[in-house]
Amino acid sequence: MVLGLAKGWSVVGYTLALLIIMPLIALIAQSLLPDEAVFGHLFNTVLPTYISNSLWLMFWVVIGSLIIAIPAAWLVAKCHFPGRRIFQWALLLPLAMPAYVVAYVYTDLLDYSGPVQRSLRIAFGWQTPQDYYFPEVRTLGGAAIMLALVLFPYIYLLARTAFMEQSASLSQATRVMGCGPWKSFWRLSLPMARPALAVGAALVAMETAADFATVSYFAVPTLTTAVYDTWFEHGSLTAAAKLSTIMLLVIFAMVGFERFARRKQKLFQKLSTPGELDVYSLSGAKAFAATAYCTGLLFLAFLLPFFILLQYAYGYFAESWNDEFFKYSFNSLWISLLASAICVVIGIVLMFIRRISPRQADILPSRLASTGYALPGTVLAIGILVPFTQLDFAINDLAIYLGFEEPGLILTGSSFIIVCAFTIRFAAIAIGSIENSYKRISPSLDMAGITMGLKPLGLLKQVHIPLLRKGIFAGLLLVFIECMKELPAALLLRPIGFENLATYVYQFVSDEQLEQGALAAIVIVLVGLIPLIYLNRSLEHDN
């Protein structure tokens, strides 16, 4: 844009991008290898079920999330009612709760031996399951409900922002035309928010496709669990790669369909400023209903599971407060911090190249590096195992050739591979955060720095980085939290004897003993609240 770059910078950018997309390339290459024994058997027996369950699960989670999130977003953005300011940020809290923890809590509550059914049997005198009907929790529908309770904030956040940015003059025009709140919502607010809703729905669908722990706990066979089972039970990396490629095709087809559906959609409107927001003042039964809806949603999605976790942690504190807890907490801490720092460095370098390069080709590395976020953890793990295993073998062969002792699996047998997986998966978050901060830096500052004789590195160090501090911190924080919560990649790639908080909690959930892992789960939740609070404060400042 303002400065010609030395070829070395472009080489660095493309090298970083290539390293990040390397697992995807390796995955596709591995999937092209023949494997009739395992994949052929899966293809002829259970593969249609895996694909069908995955598609239905994504469909119902997206529908459930839309049904939950849209009313809450519109009420908070367009109405005055008791508790509105609290619900603005509180409805983001479910994002901090791991879905498999919510699944365990509700299964414990609603199972035949749980307190809900016990109370019903006592109240109505029922003796056996044949005396009454109660929905089964551990089904595809149950998994969809659990995931919708955790993932709806993606749609809520984008929809709330879209509703708040809609022009107040348009809303007032609908009133002049005799439209009440309901007609105004249906005819104006909802159609104008469709782009934001489509993006939120795509995010929810991608997160659903990436989920492993919830569907595994509910014994719902999906492509995600199929990848895990194929690798660990059948020992076929090629078959797992083929299943992973099918998952990617589903995800890319879904995202492509969403973009194709909106290809000719254009919305033009004057954005509202805070003083121009046109809101409806609710009173009486309407105000009570709005408060009750938001309260019930927050209670079911966050407060109830969190309070039960606190109860578990208090009752099993002596068993949980041990050396393992501190060891695994430290593992999570250092891996997440290291991966976050690497992601931020990658984001700074790639966005700096994109900022000052006059060549369109230098935009490509940052876009390629952002594709890792679309890879579910199980898919990414298989993609990383392929090249790293080959590299380990090459290192050992070289050591033998040179007359040294074989070093063993120094890459796939260490925590280094988990750091690489987290970096590839979440680099897009850091890139997006830094890109957003770069948009607020005037190009005239770059020109002034060049006029003063600054070289590219000097411009980055003395001008850009000081102005990017907020975006750097936000990216570091968001990547750190995602690394703390990421389970599938850590579960598949962890070396023998290595655990972090996510895998530690999941082991207890799998063994139906979450009570003993509740303290670790609370740590994950509390750490996850930090970026949500920071995000809400940023949104309030921007609005």
Side-chain angles (χ1 to χ4, degrees):
M1 184 176 79
V2 297
L3 183 66
L5 279 175
K7 290 184 178 180
W9 283 91
S10 294
V11 171
V12 169
Y14 274 94
T15 300
L16 289 174
L18 181 62
L19 289 174
I20 290 177
I21 66 171
M22 179 182 64
L24 178 59
I25 298 172
L27 179 71
I28 295 174
Q30 184 73 23
S31 67
L32 297 177
L33 298 177
D35 186 356
E36 295 298 329
V38 177
F39 185 76
H41 173 71
L42 293 175
F43 184 84
N44 294 321
T45 54
V46 294
L47 184 57
T49 301
Y50 290 146
I51 296 176
S52 174
N53 285 344
S54 298
L55 293 175
W56 278 115
L57 183 65
M58 286 190 286
F59 174 78
W60 287 119
V61 173
V62 169
I63 294 299
S65 298
L66 288 169
I67 292 173
I68 292 172
I70 291 175
W74 190 79
L75 287 171
V76 167
K78 290 291 188 178
C79 301
H80 274 306
F81 59 93
R84 173 177 177 259
R85 290 187 62 85
I86 296 176
F87 293 126
Q88 278 186 334
W89 60 268
L91 288 175
L92 294 173
L93 296 181
L95 278 179
M97 187 71 68
Y100 56 92
V101 172
V102 175
Y104 179 92
V105 168
Y106 276 104
T107 300
D108 196 41
L109 285 174
L110 301 176
D111 260 352
Y112 180 77
S113 59
V116 173
Q117 292 201 50
R118 281 205 314 268
S119 300
L120 290 174
R121 290 195 295 271
I122 292 173
F124 295 97
W126 296 326
Q127 300 296 325
T128 66
Q130 288 72 34
D131 295 337
Y132 65 100
Y133 170 77
F134 196 88
E136 179 61 42
V137 181
R138 299 195 186 197
T139 61
L140 188 146
I145 293 173
M146 299 300 108
L147 289 169
L149 284 175
V150 173
L151 298 177
F152 83 86
Y154 284 112
I155 297 176
Y156 162 79
L157 178 61
L158 294 170
R160 189 191 78 173
T161 303
F163 290 145
M164 294 182 70
E165 289 180 346
Q166 290 173 2
S167 174
S169 60
L170 292 177
S171 180
Q172 291 164 1
T174 61
R175 293 189 182 187
V176 173
M177 296 172 66
C179 292
W182 169 248
K183 286 187 177 180
S184 177
F185 163 76
W186 189 253
R187 295 184 178 182
L188 175 69
S189 297
L190 187 60
M192 296 188 71
R194 278 186 296 180
L197 296 177
V199 174
L203 285 173
V204 169
M206 289 172 61
E207 291 294 328
T208 302
D211 179 80
F212 167 76
T214 306
V215 292
S216 176
Y217 180 66
F218 275 13
V220 177
T222 63
L223 286 170
T224 312
T225 59
V227 172
Y228 184 88
D229 294 340
T230 302
W231 170 236
F232 276 91
E233 293 184 9
H234 300 285
S236 176
L237 191 60
T238 300
K242 291 179 182 292
L243 292 172
S244 300
T245 305
I246 294 174
M247 280 188 66
L248 287 181
L249 290 176
V250 170
I251 292 173
F252 290 153
M254 175 188 60
V255 174
F257 175 79
E258 179 266 327
R259 292 184 178 178
F260 178 80
R262 296 191 296 115
R263 68 193 185 282
K264 295 182 179 180
Q265 194 177 72
K266 292 181 173 61
L267 293 175
F268 301 97
Q269 59 174 317
K270 175 187 174 184
L271 299 182
S272 292
T273 61
E276 296 177 327
L277 290 178
D278 185 51
V279 297
Y280 299 94
S281 294
L282 303 182
S283 59
K286 293 181 179 179
F288 176 78
T291 303
Y293 177 78
C294 294
T295 301
L297 181 56
L298 180 63
F299 177 77
L300 293 174
F302 181 79
L303 295 178
L304 178 60
F306 187 70
F307 287 149
I308 291 178
L309 280 181
L310 288 176
Q311 182 182 3
Y312 288 162
Y314 178 78
Y316 288 82
F317 183 80
E319 292 88 339
S320 303
W321 191 261
N322 51 33
D323 293 338
E324 286 186 344
F325 170 73
F326 288 104
K327 178 183 177 182
Y328 302 150
S329 297
F330 178 74
N331 287 343
S332 289
L333 178 65
W334 78 262
I335 284 181
S336 300
L337 282 175
L338 181 57
S340 303
I342 296 174
C343 286
V344 166
V345 171
I346 291 173
I348 292 173
V349 172
L350 294 181
M351 290 314 303
F352 175 70
I353 294 172
R354 181 172 173 175
R355 166 84 174 190
I356 68 175
S357 173
R359 296 187 293 266
Q360 286 294 321
D362 286 326
I363 297 176
L364 186 59
S366 61
R367 292 180 176 174
L368 290 176
S370 299
T371 59
Y373 191 69
L375 302 179
T378 49
V379 174
L380 177 61
I382 299 300
I384 286 181
L385 277 173
V386 173
F388 276 57
T389 302
Q390 297 299 321
L391 189 56
D392 263 337
F393 289 160
I395 292 173
N396 282 271
D397 291 342
L398 179 62
I400 294 174
Y401 177 78
L402 296 176
F404 297 107
E405 184 180 354
E406 293 183 63
L409 302 178
I410 59 176
L411 298 179
T412 56
S414 68
S415 53
F416 169 80
I417 194 171
I418 300 180
V419 175
C420 291
F422 287 177
T423 301
I424 293 169
R425 175 124 163 79
F426 301 120
I429 298 176
I431 292 172
S433 179
I434 294 169
E435 180 183 11
N436 187 54
S437 291
Y438 254 126
K439 291 179 180 178
R440 303 180 182 182
I441 301 177
S442 172
S444 61
L445 294 177
D446 297 354
M447 299 300 296
I450 295 169
T451 303
M452 297 174 65
L454 291 178
K455 299 297 182 182
L457 189 59
L459 184 67
L460 176 64
K461 291 171 60 177
Q462 299 181 39
V463 179
H464 290 177
I465 288 182
L467 296 174
L468 292 172
R469 284 180 298 181
K470 184 177 180 180
I472 291 173
F473 176 73
L476 187 73
L477 192 61
L478 291 172
V479 174
F480 175 80
I481 302 308
E482 290 295 333
C483 292
M484 290 284 290
K485 292 170 56 179
E486 174 62 24
L487 173 67
L491 201 61
L492 278 166
L493 298 175
R494 57 182 173 162
I496 297 175
F498 182 90
E499 301 278 358
N500 63 3
L501 286 179
T503 60
Y504 182 59
V505 172
Y506 176 71
Q507 294 301 327
F508 283 115
V509 170
S510 301
D511 296 336
E512 304 280 353
Q513 295 177 340
L514 177 61
E515 296 85 352
Q516 298 183 32
L519 184 62
I522 288 174
V523 172
I524 295 175
V525 173
L526 292 179
V527 172
L529 294 179
I530 298 173
L532 295 178
I533 295 172
Y534 179 83
L535 174 63
N536 182 73
R537 292 183 61 182
S538 299
L539 290 174
E540 288 183 344
H541 178 73
D542 292 340
N543 290 330

